Amino acid sequence: MTLLAHGVGSRTDLPIPLGLALYGAGAAILISFAALLLLWRTPKLGGSDSGRPLPAAVQRAVDSAALRRTLQAVALALLVLVIAAALGGPEETARNLAPWALYVTFWVGLVPASLLLGPVWRVANPLRLLHRILRAAVPRAPGARRLPALGLWPAAASLLVFLWFELVYPGRAEPVTVAAFLIGWAVVHTGLALWFGEEWFASGDGFEVYSTLIARLSPWGRRGDGRLVLRNPLANATATPETPGLAAVVVVLLGSTAFDGLSRTAWWQTGPGAANDSLSGTLGLVAMVGLVAVLYLLGTRLSGRLAGQPLGVQPRRYAATVIPIALGYTIAHYFSLLVLDGQTTWILASNPFGVPGVDLFGTYGNVLDLAAVSPDTIAYVQVGGVVAGHVAGVTLAHERALRSERHARASDQLPLVVVMVLFTVGGLGLLFGF
Amino acid sequence: MRARRLLVAALLPLTLAGCAGTDAPEQESAASTAASTAAERSGSGDDPATASPAAPAEAAGQRIEVQVAGGQVTGDTGRVPVPLGEPVTLVVTGDAADELHLHGYDLTAELVPGQPAELQFDATIPGVFELELHDAGTVLLTLQVS
């Protein structure tokens, strides 16, 4: 069977109204330049040591091994259940739990979960438990010393692999594909963790890195000394370490969401992507990620040149400022998928193996309500998400520039701000469908 | 004519179920089987009136026709706009046996080679939905309901 642009789904959003797209774009441009001229002139957001410490009891509970192992065991059980349902449940995608659980509830749901609760997948990652069990047999991690040099590049690669499966691979929604992907993911990442040590998950497991990055915009942070704090999400994002490969992760996320938007437009479906095969999809995905990468590198390096900063560190230095823009894109593209098609997961979870008469939660008889959220609401959330992400991004970039040079001129930031405006206007254009 | 009335009667509970929220799936699947058999009957009937585009019983609403031959889709393909709430009749004529599936509305109909298959419904769910051939995996058109 064929599928819609995103991994699974029974519908896609209507194009946003032209007026709304133009208002959004106008607001983004206006706010950008107002921000350059009017925002604070010395660093204002707290650094990595800012924030209000949480009570010690809370910190002990959150950091306790018992909590982590419990959550990881629950996640592992769910992972096994989803794989079993993929292999032993109904063969039809529409009636099989696995594709909906992976592509909608887990992958999209990870965003609001991380935004509200912090880096949830770092705490609940079931592969960490698997690795801990297997580590007894392979006590030494031979590659541990080489891991820091890789930075977040492995995560960028593993995210790209997942996104290719999700957005391009023609059999993406087949339950068998989902089972194969999940088993492959578990084997590869657990294996690499045995080689590189447990730290692998924080730098190579795309899901964990994604959750951690989104959590940079949550109010929950960790001070330099490890203390858990409550702080302004913008200060939290500013405190993101400038790890090599961070820019690559952000670019992959932004580019793939842009490709998802592109592949929903009538222009793509009747033009370059009409064949709807692996080749056109792969080229489209690579082209969008490449386009975002080139624009981002140009913007950061030009800004760095104007400010007389070393060019090499510029992309990494500003990568965290693009996280809100990527988040805005994600909300715009997947909000409706989560609230509408996400209902399917809860319907099918009531009877994961399609056994007649089984209805664990009494939801199996529910009918998907695709009119639960009105198209107007969806359009406002889409434009609101993109514009809010843009404003946060520009603000963070401004703060970052002041941090690297106390009296940075506003005009030095112009190239990066122009690139951010391009991302936002381009994103709105994709939502409008050109 | 009788077949058409039967088809409308079979589809009515289905479209209602589409926006109701919590109906039993048995009811829905029963309705859609009824719809597909009704569509099949109206398509395969030897009454030539069923295939003619302007039958008086369906003067209101939008009629969208698509032909499939050798994997090529012609007719009202691409993005087809439909006003919200409008009655819609989708007519598909193919050269191979397959199953029609309208996503979101979750309507199906058997496609018999050379005989037009019909899906009739009220476009009550806003959004963009694909009409595809289930076995071949071909997307015939996308319905944009707004």
Side-chain angles (χ1 to χ4, degrees), chain A residues 2 4 11-12 14 264 365 367, chain B residues 21 23 25 79 128 130 132 137:
Chain A
T2 53
L4 294 161
R11 61 179 289 289
T12 46
L14 290 165
R264 292 178 191 187
V367 172
Chain B
D23 272 279
R79 192 70 68 99
V128 179
E130 289 185 346
E132 66 153 345

Side-chain angles (χ1 to χ4, degrees), chain A residues 137-195:
Chain A
V138 192
R140 286 190 35 197
R145 276 189 302 120
R146 315 185 72 177
L147 189 62
L150 297 176
L152 288 174
W153 282 100
S158 77
L159 274 171
L160 200 56
V161 169
F162 169 72
L163 289 162
W164 183 84
F165 260 98
E166 186 208 19
L167 302 174
V168 174
Y169 180 61
R172 54 191 175 260
E174 303 286 344
V176 177
T177 307
V178 173
F181 173 80
L182 288 175
I183 293 170
W185 184 273
V187 168
V188 167
H189 284 284
T190 310
L192 286 166
L194 288 172
W195 180 265

Side-chain angles (χ1 to χ4, degrees), chain B residues 83-144:
Chain B
L84 185 64
E86 179 121 321
V88 175
T89 308
L90 287 168
V91 186
V92 179
T93 316
D95 61 350
D98 210 313
E99 190 186 28
L100 281 179
H101 183 205
L102 179 62
H103 285 262
Y105 288 80
D106 211 14
L107 300 175
T108 54
E110 285 302 319
L111 189 62
V112 179
Q115 292 171 350
E118 281 193 12
L119 284 175
Q120 282 194 341
F121 59 95
D122 291 334
T124 48
I125 312 173
V128 179
F129 306 93
E130 289 185 346
L131 175 70
E132 66 153 345
L133 289 181
H134 221 280
D135 299 335
T138 319
V139 176
L140 302 178
L141 57 89
T142 48
L143 213 57
Q144 182 171 318

